[in-house]
Amino acid sequence: MKLKPYAEVDGLPFTVRRADLQRRHGAPLRERGNGIGLTELDYGDVVFRFQDGSGRLEEVTRRAAVLYLLLDGDVVDVPFAGLAAFVPAHDGAAFERAGFLVSPRFGLAFVPGQPDWVTALAAHCIETWRALPN
């Protein structure tokens, strides 16, 4: 996964609209609501979550054996196996919620010790994650 925090995932900007995404990727394998007001478009190797009301892209979850972070003009390669150590070492504001480690600096969430799924977050999503029970 190539992540420019809060801006784009694998070259896809967080400003993309659902119709534009579907023109680019085609029809998803599955589409479903997730109970918190998001519609999930599941393409198998990547899941896009859009806000039901506004259609705004909220999250992108994909397998990431290696996370390529664009930070201050440099790309930092972080293997998923080292992500649980990397995040708290480089983001003093990182926190845990519902089993996820969430990084406000990097705009991502993941479950340490689980398969290598990483969720990239839109900037406005961090407070929603903070509000989740721990």
Side-chain angles (χ1 to χ4, degrees):
M1 173 188 273
K2 295 176 185 171
L3 177 61
K4 184 175 182 181
Y6 302 117
E8 62 184 52
V9 179
D10 295 325
L12 185 77
F14 268 98
T15 56
V16 72
R17 290 299 192 200
R18 179 179 167 164
D20 296 327
L21 175 87
Q22 288 186 276
R23 274 193 289 281
R24 182 176 176 175
H25 289 279
L29 299 173
R30 286 175 296 286
E31 178 178 331
R32 64 184 170 268
N34 69 2
I36 60 168
L38 301 179
T39 297
E40 297 181 347
L41 302 180
D42 186 344
Y43 287 87
D45 63 338
V46 60
V47 177
F48 299 93
R49 293 181 190 88
F50 288 87
Q51 193 174 78
D52 288 345
S54 70
R56 177 171 62 180
L57 180 62
E58 302 283 305
E59 301 178 349
V60 178
T61 301
R62 90 168 321 136
R63 302 295 300 258
V66 178
L67 179 65
Y68 302 95
L69 282 169
L70 180 60
L71 297 172
D72 304 320
D74 294 321
V75 176
V76 179
D77 302 359
V78 184
F80 185 83
L83 198 55
F86 178 87
V87 166
H90 293 88
D91 184 354
F95 59 93
E96 291 183 26
R97 286 298 181 277
F100 287 80
L101 181 56
V102 181
S103 172
R105 179 178 181 202
F106 304 126
L108 59 85
F110 66 99
V111 179
Q114 294 294 315
D116 56 356
W117 289 96
V118 175
T119 298
L121 307 169
H124 57 270
C125 294
I126 292 296
E127 291 311 310
T128 302
W129 278 86
R130 280 191 205 283
L132 292 173
N134 201 7

